[in-house]
Amino acid sequence: MRVVSGIQPTGTPHLGNYLGAIVNYVRLQDEAEVAGGDCLIFLADLHAISMPHDPARLHAATLEMVATLVACGVDPRKTVLFNQAQVHQHAELQWLLSGTARMGWLNRMTQWKDKAGKNREGQSVALFSYPVLQAADVLLYQATHVPVGEDQKQHLELARDIAQKFNNDFASEEAPVFTLPEPIIPPGAARIMSLRDGSAKMSKSADSDMSRINLSDDPDTIARKIKKAKTDAEPLPSEAKGLEARPEALNLVTIYAALAGSSVEAVLGEYGGQGFGSFKPALAELTVASLSPIVERFTALRDDRESLDAILARGAAQARELAIPTLAAAYRALGLVRA
Ligand code: TYM
């Protein structure tokens, strides 16, 4: 069992990242330990340069994201925690895979279409080839389990397609170069939506800070954001079917269920028939109770530069070692001469 996943150190991590991905990093890190496998979690800083960025901010955000992940329970003694930029094999394998990835495959990526919008010509090459780097990130380590939110599923399918084509074209069936990775998507929190618009995902890059709950928000801010969250005038239904055409209400109930470790049905069993006047304060209380230990640990770690650098240096050294055999196999398979 080899768990591999990444998160971009851009913006502040939010409840969507936490429930959609980070909770599963922690769960799978522990499962991998029991199974005698490995877990690697990295900051996707190389991905972050695909969009206009401020270098000083990227540097600071990378260290903050390490502190956040550790505060959420990613344990550097159990997990290889590192940033891509310190493990040169990611960029190297991306180039090798670029011979296999097809333009048509990348053109179909919804994230590319969304981010590029109408101005495709003006985008960086990196934004277009971004999913090839993402494929390299997981294939480099022979990942079996990749915990991600729903929005990354398509990129993982592409990684499987690239692995499959590379294996077909350059390896034998008995000795494939790459393992096909499985995305691990939490059924209850695959897609946490914006608090302002139930049809858009909660995102680090959305303009309005009121649209997301940041993992660093204080209790008053959390309560205010939930109070102001868009809803409708109806009371909550007592069955999930009643939420079908009510995306904002569904989102709040989904968040409650995910934080409580329960299900939408169970939450409606308790709150069905009640209005948002009573549900929102309960959700705010649960959110604050769930996030405040994280904020406390984050605050204690954030300024401990020495520890954060040490975690990344150690993780990168471990990752570089783990990356060597697969990268060498890929060079060999392609017929590239290396003395
Ligand atoms: P990123 O940084 O946008 O998000 C990190 C993780 O959080 C999940 N996520 C969500 N889940 C549920 N609801 C939401 N609203 C929500 N928003 C984000 C994402 O699905 C992701 O799992 N390209 C990736 C980073 C990456 C990566 C990889 C992931 C680079 N290489 C290799 C896995 C494997 C990204 O930008 O995630």
Side-chain angles (χ1 to χ4, degrees):
M1 179 178 188
R2 176 134 319 154
V3 181
V4 180
S5 197
I7 182 164
Q8 285 199 68
T10 42
T12 334
H14 52 70
L15 200 57
N17 299 128
Y18 179 65
L19 294 173
I22 302 174
V23 167
N24 261 348
Y25 300 167
V26 178
R27 184 175 66 81
L28 289 167
Q29 132 191 300
D30 294 339
E31 276 182 27
E33 194 190 23
V34 172
D38 311 281
C39 179
L40 296 94
I41 302 293
F42 60 87
L43 296 321
D45 49 2
L46 293 180
H47 278 104
I49 65 165
S50 61
M51 293 292 274
H53 79 287
D54 169 3
R57 183 67 210 126
L58 176 59
H59 193 266
T62 303
L63 294 170
E64 271 169 28
M65 189 64 92
V66 184
T68 305
L69 291 176
V70 174
C72 288
V74 174
D75 180 346
R77 287 164 305 184
K78 297 181 185 171
T79 287
V80 180
L81 181 54
F82 65 102
N83 60 311
Q84 272 171 328
Q86 295 203 70
V87 182
H88 58 87
Q89 286 98 335
H90 287 245
E92 244 176 295
L93 183 61
Q94 181 199 8
W95 182 253
L96 301 189
L97 298 178
S98 293
T100 294
R102 305 287 99 180
M103 296 284 285
W105 299 356
L106 295 177
N107 253 325
R108 281 196 288 278
M109 294 294 113
T110 51
Q111 184 176 296
W112 156 248
K113 288 194 258 188
D114 289 349
K115 288 202 172 168
K118 290 207 170 71
N119 181 21
R120 290 194 176 190
E121 299 293 309
Q123 300 304 325
S124 70
V125 171
L127 188 66
F128 185 67
S129 60
Y130 177 116
V132 186
L133 178 59
Q134 186 157 343
D137 294 337
V138 294
L139 301 182
L140 187 56
Y141 302 106
Q142 308 286 347
T144 53
H145 299 61
V146 184
V148 284
E150 174 80 28
D151 63 332
Q152 295 302 318
K153 191 169 170 223
Q154 195 187 32
H155 286 161
L156 263 295
E157 279 160 6
L158 182 92
R160 291 174 63 93
D161 289 344
I162 292 175
Q164 185 101 58
K165 180 165 166 57
F166 190 103
N167 286 341
N168 283 345
D169 292 354
F170 305 112
S172 66
E173 226 168 276
E174 304 74 54
V177 174
F178 298 118
T179 305
L180 268 50
E182 282 298 336
I184 308 291
I185 299 174
R191 222 171 136 75
I192 301 296
M193 309 310 279
S194 155
L195 299 180
R196 310 298 304 163
D197 173 2
S199 66
K201 69 171 182 178
M202 187 177 283
S203 132
K204 297 181 209 127
S205 54
D207 286 341
S208 166
D209 194 56
M210 293 300 282
S211 70
R212 61 185 160 255
I213 291 172
N214 302 308
L215 296 188
S216 54
D217 282 344
D218 59 48
D220 288 346
T221 308
I222 292 175
R224 189 161 43 84
K225 287 179 175 177
I226 291 178
K227 192 169 174 210
K228 291 255 161 87
K230 186 174 167 201
T231 42
D232 49 45
E234 301 295 311
L236 285 171
S238 35
E239 281 176 26
K241 212 166 164 293
L243 289 174
E244 269 170 16
R246 299 174 64 188
E248 284 86 12
L250 172 63
N251 191 38
L252 295 187
V253 175
T254 301
I255 292 174
Y256 191 106
L259 287 173
S262 125
S263 65
V264 166
E265 286 73 18
V267 176
L268 293 178
E270 196 181 341
Y271 288 97
Q274 298 190 33
F276 288 101
S278 49
F279 181 67
K280 279 183 168 179
L283 176 60
E285 195 180 320
L286 176 61
T287 309
V288 169
S290 310
L291 297 190
S292 57
I294 296 176
V295 176
E296 240 170 73
R297 284 193 292 269
F298 169 76
T299 313
L301 266 170
R302 179 181 44 192
D303 298 321
D304 187 353
R305 191 53 209 273
E306 217 172 297
S307 300
L308 299 177
D309 283 340
I311 290 172
L312 290 181
R314 183 160 165 268
Q318 291 173 315
R320 284 192 294 265
E321 279 303 306
L322 291 169
I324 290 171
T326 303
L327 188 66
Y331 272 105
R332 244 190 337 266
L334 292 167
L336 295 162
V337 176
R338 293 167 100 207

Coordinates of all heavy atoms in Angstrom, one line a residue, residues 5-8 14 16-17 20-21 42 44 47 130 134 137-138 146 148-149 151-152 189-192 201-202 204, ligand 1:
S5 N -0.3 11.9 -2.1 CA -1.2 13.0 -2.5 C -0.5 14.3 -2.3 O 0.5 14.4 -1.6 CB -2.5 12.9 -1.8 OG -3.5 13.8 -2.5
G6 N -1.1 15.3 -3.0 CA -0.5 16.6 -2.9 C -1.5 17.7 -2.7 O -2.7 17.5 -3.1
I7 N -1.1 18.9 -2.3 CA -1.9 20.0 -2.1 C -1.1 21.3 -2.5 O 0.0 21.4 -2.2 CB -2.5 20.1 -0.6 CG1 -3.4 21.2 -0.4 CG2 -1.3 20.1 0.4 CD1 -4.3 21.1 0.9
Q8 N -1.8 22.2 -3.2 CA -1.1 23.4 -3.6 C -0.9 24.4 -2.5 O -2.0 24.7 -1.8 CB -1.8 24.1 -4.8 CG -1.7 23.3 -6.1 CD -2.0 24.3 -7.2 OE1 -1.3 25.2 -7.5 NE2 -3.1 24.0 -7.9
H14 N -8.8 25.4 3.3 CA -10.2 25.7 3.8 C -10.9 24.3 4.1 O -10.3 23.3 3.9 CB -11.0 26.4 2.7 CG -10.9 25.8 1.3 ND1 -11.5 24.6 1.0 CD2 -10.3 26.2 0.2 CE1 -11.3 24.3 -0.2 NE2 -10.5 25.3 -0.8
G16 N -13.1 22.7 2.6 CA -13.2 21.8 1.5 C -11.9 20.9 1.4 O -12.0 19.7 1.2
N17 N -10.8 21.5 1.5 CA -9.5 20.8 1.5 C -9.5 19.8 2.6 O -9.0 18.6 2.5 CB -8.3 21.7 1.6 CG -8.2 22.7 0.5 OD1 -8.0 23.9 0.7 ND2 -8.2 22.3 -0.8
G20 N -12.5 17.1 2.2 CA -12.3 16.4 0.9 C -11.1 15.6 0.8 O -11.0 14.6 0.1
A21 N -10.0 16.1 1.4 CA -8.7 15.4 1.2 C -7.9 15.2 2.5 O -7.5 14.0 2.8 CB -7.9 16.3 0.3
F42 N 2.8 15.8 -0.2 CA 3.7 16.8 -0.6 C 2.9 18.1 -0.9 O 1.7 18.1 -1.2 CB 4.5 16.4 -1.8 CG 3.7 16.1 -3.0 CD1 3.3 17.1 -3.9 CD2 3.3 14.8 -3.3 CE1 2.5 16.8 -5.0 CE2 2.4 14.5 -4.3 CZ 2.1 15.5 -5.2
A44 N 2.4 20.9 -3.4 CA 2.6 21.0 -4.9 C 3.0 22.4 -5.3 O 2.3 23.1 -6.0 CB 1.3 20.6 -5.6
H47 N 3.4 23.0 -9.0 CA 2.1 23.3 -9.7 C 1.7 24.7 -9.5 O 1.0 25.3 -10.4 CB 1.0 22.4 -9.1 CG 1.0 21.0 -9.7 ND1 1.5 19.9 -9.1 CD2 0.6 20.6 -10.9 CE1 1.3 18.8 -9.9 NE2 0.8 19.2 -11.0
Y130 N 0.0 20.9 -16.7 CA -0.1 20.6 -15.3 C -0.5 19.2 -14.9 O 0.1 18.6 -14.1 CB -1.2 21.6 -14.8 CG -1.7 21.6 -13.4 CD1 -1.5 22.8 -12.6 CD2 -2.5 20.6 -12.9 CE1 -2.0 22.8 -11.3 CE2 -2.9 20.6 -11.6 CZ -2.7 21.7 -10.8 OH -3.2 21.8 -9.5
Q134 N 1.2 16.2 -12.5 CA 0.4 15.5 -11.5 C 0.5 14.0 -11.6 O 0.6 13.2 -10.7 CB -1.1 16.0 -11.5 CG -1.9 15.4 -10.4 CD -3.1 16.2 -10.0 OE1 -3.3 17.4 -10.4 NE2 -4.1 15.6 -9.3
D137 N 3.8 13.0 -10.3 CA 3.8 13.0 -8.8 C 3.4 11.6 -8.2 O 4.0 11.2 -7.2 CB 2.8 14.0 -8.3 CG 3.1 15.4 -8.6 OD1 4.3 15.7 -8.9 OD2 2.1 16.2 -8.6
V138 N 2.4 11.0 -8.8 CA 2.0 9.7 -8.2 C 2.7 8.5 -8.9 O 3.0 7.5 -8.1 CB 0.4 9.6 -8.3 CG1 -0.2 10.6 -7.4 CG2 -0.1 9.6 -9.7
V146 N -4.6 7.3 -3.8 CA -4.4 8.7 -3.9 C -5.7 9.4 -3.4 O -6.7 9.6 -4.0 CB -4.2 9.1 -5.4 CG1 -3.9 10.6 -5.5 CG2 -3.0 8.3 -6.0
V148 N -8.0 12.2 -2.7 CA -8.3 13.5 -3.3 C -9.8 13.8 -3.2 O -10.6 12.9 -3.0 CB -8.0 13.6 -4.8 CG1 -6.5 13.7 -5.1 CG2 -8.5 12.4 -5.6
G149 N -10.2 15.1 -3.4 CA -11.6 15.5 -3.6 C -12.0 15.2 -5.0 O -11.2 14.9 -5.9
D151 N -12.9 17.0 -7.5 CA -12.4 17.8 -8.6 C -11.1 17.3 -9.2 O -10.7 17.7 -10.3 CB -12.3 19.3 -8.1 CG -11.2 19.4 -7.0 OD1 -11.0 18.5 -6.2 OD2 -10.6 20.5 -6.9
Q152 N -10.4 16.4 -8.4 CA -9.1 15.9 -9.0 C -9.3 14.5 -9.7 O -8.3 13.9 -10.1 CB -8.1 15.8 -7.8 CG -7.7 17.1 -7.3 CD -7.2 18.1 -8.3 OE1 -6.4 17.7 -9.2 NE2 -7.6 19.3 -8.3
A189 N -18.0 13.8 1.4 CA -17.5 15.1 1.4 C -16.6 15.4 0.1 O -15.6 16.1 0.1 CB -16.6 15.4 2.6
A190 N -17.0 14.7 -1.0 CA -16.3 14.7 -2.2 C -16.2 16.1 -2.8 O -15.2 16.5 -3.4 CB -16.9 13.8 -3.2
R191 N -17.2 16.9 -2.5 CA -17.3 18.3 -3.1 C -18.0 19.2 -2.1 O -19.2 19.2 -2.1 CB -18.1 18.2 -4.4 CG -17.6 18.9 -5.5 CD -18.4 18.5 -6.8 NE -18.7 19.7 -7.5 CZ -17.8 20.4 -8.2 NH1 -16.6 20.0 -8.4 NH2 -18.1 21.5 -8.9
I192 N -17.2 19.9 -1.4 CA -17.8 20.9 -0.4 C -17.9 22.2 -1.3 O -17.0 22.6 -2.0 CB -16.9 21.2 0.8 CG1 -16.6 19.8 1.5 CG2 -17.4 22.3 1.7 CD1 -17.8 19.2 2.2
K201 N -17.6 25.1 -6.3 CA -16.9 24.5 -5.2 C -16.3 25.5 -4.3 O -15.9 26.6 -4.7 CB -15.9 23.4 -5.7 CG -14.8 24.0 -6.4 CD -13.7 22.9 -6.7 CE -12.5 23.7 -7.3 NZ -11.4 22.9 -7.7
M202 N -16.1 25.1 -3.0 CA -15.4 26.0 -2.1 C -13.9 26.0 -2.6 O -13.4 24.9 -2.9 CB -15.5 25.4 -0.7 CG -14.9 26.4 0.4 SD -15.0 25.8 2.1 CE -16.7 26.1 2.4
K204 N -9.8 28.0 -2.8 CA -8.9 29.0 -2.2 C -8.8 30.3 -3.1 O -8.5 31.3 -2.6 CB -7.4 28.4 -2.3 CG -7.2 27.2 -1.4 CD -5.8 26.7 -1.6 CE -5.6 25.2 -1.4 NZ -4.9 24.6 -2.5
Ligands
TYM1 P1 -5.7 21.6 -4.4 O1 -4.6 22.2 -3.8 O2 -6.7 22.4 -5.2 O3 -6.6 20.8 -3.3 C1 -6.1 19.9 -2.4 C2 -7.1 18.8 -2.1 O4 -8.3 19.3 -1.7 C3 -9.4 18.8 -2.5 N1 -10.4 19.9 -2.5 C4 -11.7 19.7 -2.2 N2 -12.4 18.6 -1.8 C5 -13.7 18.8 -1.6 N3 -14.4 20.0 -1.7 C6 -13.7 21.1 -2.2 N4 -14.4 22.2 -2.3 C7 -12.3 21.0 -2.4 N5 -11.4 21.9 -2.9 C8 -10.2 21.2 -2.9 C9 -8.8 18.6 -3.8 O5 -9.5 17.6 -4.5 C10 -7.4 18.0 -3.4 O6 -7.4 16.7 -3.1 N6 -3.8 19.4 -8.5 C11 -4.0 19.3 -7.0 C12 -2.7 19.1 -6.2 C13 -1.9 17.9 -6.7 C14 -2.2 16.5 -6.5 C15 -1.1 15.8 -7.1 C16 -3.2 15.8 -5.9 C17 -0.7 18.0 -7.4 N7 -0.2 16.8 -7.6 C18 -1.0 14.4 -7.1 C19 -3.1 14.4 -5.9 C20 -2.0 13.7 -6.5 C21 -4.7 20.5 -6.5 O7 -4.5 21.6 -7.1 O8 -5.3 20.4 -5.3

